[in-house]
């Protein structure tokens, strides 16, 4: 028995078990927005209404955290039906062929100010490129039903041309800022 | 100033370069080489379209990721197969048409198979293939012993129809690609004024119809242009039937071409009116 315990503890020492808590994104209190320059004089904002994600957050060791997000691209909403249709077309997101965009974490760095730099593979319009989100984590607090709730606020900037989306450039800027403001509930 | 530059750039990419390429390649191949005139025209049509397409969309990676980026390549199988089969009988050409249509439609539909049930996908593939073969049959039977220059103008009208319905219903890239096809056809027509023996034979017709079909499939399934305008743009292709009409057969080139082009324009005009009348009036958008 002693040998067994010793062996188990040795194994655990070599293969540490992640203490990340799985938080599931609560869509009703979350938003995924994007912004892009228009005519080099203004910033235009749009949003995606349907998305899902899991935030496996390890407070003690943030580097072992994992954040995954999947966006339903058909749900793009720019407050203009014709523009939404154009955004869904092959000129931009090509949503019939590529119905989702996704982000999968490959590495997390904890910064001195308490924020996180979350690097991962972002897949958009059929292409995957690494991007880095600057993320702030808030909470936890107890939700109405007593469940632990955290807030994850993340922003990243990428070039849409890196994903093969070049239509309208330079009238519609190349740099896109994506902001995910997510409230997630511990499961 | 910036928007003016963009308009000039778009006109060059979508219209000028394909037109010049179509004209130059057909003239050069028709005059300087001994390859059949149909081959010269088919190559010029595909080259003109490809130049316009790549100028607008960029020369991406191969194999392409996005389905519409396959469009220039979908002209290659009909070009090769129909040139190889040009001296063969109707049965061999019909088999070539079947092979081509299967390949082209599979390329167009493969990325969105997830959006259909299996029976619906089979119905779409078979339905699209029948629609294409019907149009191909009509065009192929409309060929005569003499070169038909009016074919090139009909190509312009029909491709312009796809361009208009795509642009008006939300898809600029497909609209510009169709514009390139129209411009390349226009360039070949201009070249045929200098070199009247340039003809639209079986290879040219097959290449044009494959590009036309690819554009329509993209317009309907990917841009989500409404069904009626797409159907009307397809129907415009049948205007060539008029050339077989007894009264027009012996008519002058100008009369024959004008009436046939008008017949092709009619469904396109209806499609454009439909789209304009059904556009949301309080929903201005210029990208």
């Amino acid at each position: 028995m002693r040998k067994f315990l010793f062996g188990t503890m040795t194994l655990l020492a070599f293969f540490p078990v992640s203490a990340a808590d799985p938080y599931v994104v609560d869509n009703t209190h979350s938003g995924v927005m994007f912004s892009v320059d228009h005519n080099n004089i203004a910033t235009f904002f749009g949003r995606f209404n349907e998305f899902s994600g899991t935030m496996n957050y390890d407070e003690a060791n943030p580097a072992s955290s994992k954040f995954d997000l999947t966006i339903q691209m058909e749900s793009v909403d720019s407050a203009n039906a014709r523009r939404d249709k154009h955004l869904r077309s092959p000129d931009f997101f090509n949503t019939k062929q590529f119905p989702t965009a996704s982000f999968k974490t490959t590495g997390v760095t904890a910064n001195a100010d308490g924020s996180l730099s979350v690097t991962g593979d972002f897949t958009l319009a059929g292409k995957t490129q690494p991007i880095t989100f600057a993320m702030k984590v808030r909470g936890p607090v107890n939700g109405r039903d007593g469940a632990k709730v955290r807030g994850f606020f993340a922003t990243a900037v990428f070039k849409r041309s890196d994903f093969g989306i070049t239509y309208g450039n330079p009238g519609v800027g190349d740099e896109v800022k994506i902001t995910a403001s997510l409230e997630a509930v511990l499961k | 100033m910036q928007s003016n530059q963009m308009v000039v750039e778009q006109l060059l990419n979508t219209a000028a370069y394909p037109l010049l390429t179509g004209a130059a390649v057909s003239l050069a191949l028709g005059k300087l080489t001994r390859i059949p005139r149909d081959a010269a025209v088919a190559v010029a049509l595909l080259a003109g379209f490809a130049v316009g397409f790549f100028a607008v969309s960029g020369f991406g990676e191969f194999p392409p990721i996005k389905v519409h980026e396959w469009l220039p390549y979908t002209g290659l199988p009909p070009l090769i197969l129909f040139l190889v089969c040009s001296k063969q009988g109707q049965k061999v050409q019909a088999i070539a048409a079947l092979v081509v249509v299967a390949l082209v439609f599979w390329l167009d539909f493969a990325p969105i198979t997830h959006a259909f049930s299996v029976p619906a996908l089979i119905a779409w593939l078979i339905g699209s293939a029948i629609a294409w073969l019907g149009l191909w049959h009509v065009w192929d039977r409309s060929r005569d012993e003499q070169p038909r220059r009016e074919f090139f103008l009909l190509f312009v009208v029909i491709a312009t129809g796809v361009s208009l319905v795509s642009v008006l219903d939300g898809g600029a890239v497909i609209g510009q690609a169709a514009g390139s096809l129209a411009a390349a056809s226009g360039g070949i027509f201009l070249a045929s004024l200098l070199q009247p023996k340039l003809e639209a034979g079986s290879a040219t017709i097959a290449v044009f119809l494959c590009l036309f079909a690819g554009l329509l499939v993209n317009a309907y399934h990917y841009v989500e242009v409404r069904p009626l305008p797409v159907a009307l743009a397809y129907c415009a292709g049948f205007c060539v039937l008029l050339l077989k009409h007894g009264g027009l057969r012996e008519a002058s080139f100008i009369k024959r071409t004008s009436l046939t082009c008008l017949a092709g324009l009619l469904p396109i005009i209806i499609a454009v009116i439909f789209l304009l009348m059904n556009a949301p009036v309080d929903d201005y958008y210029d990208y």
Side-chain angles (χ1 to χ4, degrees):
Chain A
M1 184 64 184
R2 213 184 267 174
K3 271 184 184 171
F4 172 75
L5 278 175
F6 178 76
T8 308
M9 287 175 75
T10 310
L11 270 174
L12 283 173
F14 280 104
F15 302 102
V17 176
S18 170
D21 294 326
Y23 289 84
V24 175
V25 172
D26 168 13
N27 285 36
T28 51
H29 299 104
S30 302
V32 176
M33 285 74 68
F34 64 91
S35 61
V36 62
D37 274 4
H38 190 242
N39 284 334
N40 271 326
I41 52 164
T43 303
F44 174 80
F45 290 83
R47 57 179 287 151
F48 297 97
N49 293 324
E50 289 171 31
F51 48 86
S52 57
T54 306
M55 312 277 114
N56 286 299
Y57 178 59
D58 185 345
E59 190 168 22
N61 179 22
S64 69
S65 302
K66 295 256 183 228
F67 308 101
D68 296 335
L69 187 67
T70 301
I71 302 166
Q72 300 300 321
M73 300 303 285
E74 287 265 349
S75 72
V76 65
D77 181 353
S78 67
N80 181 305
R82 282 182 73 183
R83 181 168 47 218
D84 291 347
K85 186 175 181 184
H86 194 194
L87 288 169
R88 290 194 299 267
S89 81
D91 292 358
F92 289 98
F93 300 136
N94 207 349
T95 60
K96 258 294 174 66
Q97 190 180 355
F98 308 112
T100 59
S102 63
F103 177 82
K104 288 194 187 309
T105 306
T106 54
V108 178
T109 310
N111 302 316
D113 64 356
S115 68
L116 304 176
S117 294
V118 182
T119 302
D121 291 329
F122 185 48
T123 304
L124 174 67
K127 281 197 172 185
T128 302
Q129 299 282 349
I131 67 170
T132 300
F133 277 97
M135 181 184 275
K136 280 184 180 167
V137 183
R138 293 161 72 190
V141 297
N142 287 325
R144 279 191 183 177
D145 56 359
K148 208 191 267 187
V149 180
R150 280 190 190 272
F152 300 86
F153 186 85
T155 57
V157 176
F158 62 88
K159 287 190 174 181
R160 63 189 176 100
S161 57
D162 289 343
F163 297 86
I165 304 171
T166 55
Y167 180 81
N169 202 354
V172 180
D174 191 21
E175 279 200 347
V176 179
K177 184 175 183 181
I178 186 162
T179 303
S181 180
L182 308 170
E183 192 170 302
V185 182
L186 183 63
K187 292 294 173 187
Chain B
M1 185 63 188
Q2 194 179 55
S3 63
N4 284 346
Q5 277 176 347
M6 274 181 70
V7 170
V8 171
E9 197 177 308
Q10 301 285 350
L11 282 174
L12 284 172
N13 291 341
T14 308
Y17 297 149
L19 186 140
L20 290 173
T21 306
V25 173
S26 57
L27 275 177
L29 291 181
K31 203 130 193 162
L32 304 176
T33 68
R34 289 179 171 275
I35 67 168
R37 298 284 156 79
D38 178 34
V41 172
V43 169
L45 184 67
L46 187 54
F49 173 74
V51 163
F53 185 88
F54 290 127
V56 170
S57 300
F59 197 84
E61 61 268 87
F62 191 87
I65 295 174
K66 296 173 183 174
V67 69
H68 72 273
E69 290 173 344
W70 277 104
L71 278 169
Y73 305 104
T74 57
L76 286 172
L79 177 70
I80 295 163
L81 270 175
F82 276 86
L83 286 180
V84 169
C85 302
S86 62
K87 303 284 181 205
Q88 307 295 323
Q90 286 184 355
K91 275 187 185 171
V92 176
Q93 294 217 358
I95 292 168
L98 274 174
V99 171
V100 159
V101 79
L103 192 62
V104 169
F105 283 119
W106 180 248
L107 275 177
D108 285 332
F109 279 97
I112 48 167
T113 48
H114 61 267
F116 299 99
S117 63
V118 173
L121 180 64
I122 291 169
W124 267 109
L125 282 170
I126 292 175
S128 304
I130 290 171
W132 189 89
L133 287 168
L135 200 55
W136 171 76
H137 179 75
V138 166
W139 277 82
D140 204 54
R141 292 287 89 80
S142 300
R143 286 193 292 132
D144 261 348
E145 297 303 314
Q146 294 299 313
R148 281 201 180 274
R149 276 183 293 159
E150 58 265 46
F151 273 22
F152 304 130
L153 284 178
L154 296 182
F155 288 168
V156 174
V157 170
I158 297 162
T160 303
V162 186
S163 179
L164 285 172
V165 298
S166 296
V167 169
L168 286 173
D169 217 11
V173 168
I174 299 303
Q176 285 173 307
S180 297
L181 185 58
S185 307
I188 296 168
F189 173 74
L190 294 177
S192 75
L193 298 177
L194 298 172
Q195 205 176 334
K197 287 196 172 173
L198 288 175
E199 66 168 317
S202 60
T204 307
I205 289 170
V207 168
F208 177 81
L209 291 181
C210 277
L211 297 175
F212 175 64
L215 289 163
L216 278 179
V217 169
N218 270 276
Y220 182 71
H221 287 287
Y222 295 93
V223 179
E224 297 181 64
V225 175
R226 280 162 275 188
L228 181 65
V230 172
L232 287 165
Y234 166 75
C235 288
F238 286 95
C239 66
V240 76
L241 279 170
L242 270 187
L243 291 178
K244 282 289 183 188
H245 189 268
L248 278 185
R249 211 170 176 155
E250 305 305 323
S252 68
F253 172 76
I254 292 178
K255 187 179 177 186
R256 203 170 58 226
T257 307
S258 309
L259 285 174
T260 317
C261 285
L262 272 176
L265 277 172
L266 194 66
I268 295 167
I269 291 168
I270 296 170
V272 169
I273 291 171
F274 170 84
L275 286 170
L276 292 176
M277 286 180 68
N278 290 285
V281 282
D282 57 345
D283 200 10
Y284 172 75
Y285 166 61
D286 70 344
Y287 89 75

